[in-house]
Amino acid sequence: SRVSLRPALAAGTPLIGAFAAIPSPMAVEILAASGPDFLCIDGEHSPIAGERLENMLRAAQVHGIPALVRVPGHAPEAIAAALDAGAAGILAPRVSTVAEARAVIDAARYPALGRRGAGPGRAAGYGPGIPDYIARANDETVLAVQFETVEAVENAADILSLPGIDLAFIGPGDLGVTLAAAGQPGADALDAAISSLAAAIAASPVAAGIFAGTPAEARARIGSGIPLVIMGSDAMMLGEALRSRFHAARA
Ligand code: 3PY
């Protein structure tokens, strides 16, 4: 059964999730059973696509947890494949210009908003549900764009004025890297860029989200008015838990 994050995003409900980066339906089941509001399967930085992606989506659905998919880039084929496989929505990485945002909207939305192809196999139950799915998908699937470059900070307001985007997700890691490359290293420049993005998003009808490395950071972001947080990944948390256990056993 399809679950939709859209009402929660529209209401500004705090939503805490994590990246599913381990390319395994079993890892998704462990993550989904651990209490997230949603999860985001990471096809950008992990080797996840095709049938494996489909099985990871199935695993999340077994537990009733909405699963977004971070696609590897802006290729319409990858965006359509994730949505057709039953993703609750997609997160497009590195959206920095209006042209890039338009390309992603085109791929993720059916006409008139975009040009998504009408073959939603698994997402529509493989058959009679297709017309109904196509009629509802623009209102029910999530299109999230990731702001993570200096260019995105400059273009955020213009990008957010385009119809069809539900969520703007801030990536502090890449943002810090691109700020440093532009001659603005350090925490203060990063904080200023994040504040500028958060203000642009707050002034738009689009919901705000951000990556957080720790529970304390997640709480602080939610307290600052950014309701959706992706708190690390299953791979990071597995490493963290194992390191702490080995360390404790040897203490
Ligand atoms: C970033 O922080 O840049 C990320 O991509 C995390 O999702």
Side-chain angles (χ1 to χ4, degrees), residues 14-249:
L15 296 166
I16 306 177
F19 277 119
I22 300 174
S24 150
M26 178 178 162
V28 167
E29 288 207 297
I30 295 168
L31 175 51
S34 70
D37 295 309
F38 71 97
L39 52 87
C40 184
I41 298 172
D42 190 6
E44 182 195 12
H45 291 302
S46 282
I48 301 170
E51 188 175 348
R52 184 180 304 272
L53 172 60
E54 196 171 293
N55 283 328
M56 291 173 74
L57 287 166
R58 282 193 181 100
Q61 285 163 349
V62 164
H63 292 266
I65 301 296
L68 304 175
V69 174
R70 181 157 70 175
V71 287
H74 304 165
E77 295 82 2
I79 292 171
L83 292 172
D84 290 349
I90 60 128
L91 171 57
R94 213 166 272 272
V95 173
S96 303
T97 66
V98 165
E100 285 167 350
R102 276 197 211 286
V104 166
I105 293 167
D106 251 17
R109 298 304 193 196
Y110 288 117
L113 276 177
R115 289 186 289 188
R116 180 179 167 193
R122 178 164 194 279
Y126 300 109
I130 288 175
D132 182 50
Y133 173 83
I134 290 175
R136 291 183 296 120
N138 281 356
D139 293 327
E140 294 189 356
T141 51
V142 173
L143 173 53
V145 296
Q146 188 159 342
F147 288 158
E148 51 186 336
T149 64
V150 175
E151 217 183 354
V153 179
E154 288 155 13
N155 295 326
D158 291 337
I159 292 170
L160 292 165
S161 73
L162 300 174
I165 300 170
D166 303 302
L167 170 67
F169 182 80
I170 301 170
D174 282 286
L175 195 51
V177 170
T178 63
L179 281 165
Q184 298 167 260
D188 289 348
L190 179 58
D191 286 346
I194 291 174
S195 297
S196 164
L197 283 172
I201 300 165
S204 81
V206 174
I210 193 164
F211 180 84
T214 65
E217 202 181 316
R219 276 198 304 275
R221 294 303 189 193
I222 291 168
S224 81
I226 301 179
L228 179 140
V229 175
I230 297 182
M231 187 174 61
S233 72
D234 51 5
M236 288 171 56
M237 287 178 246
L238 178 60
E240 204 176 287
L242 289 169
R243 274 192 299 279
S244 122
R245 288 171 74 94
F246 285 120
H247 181 80

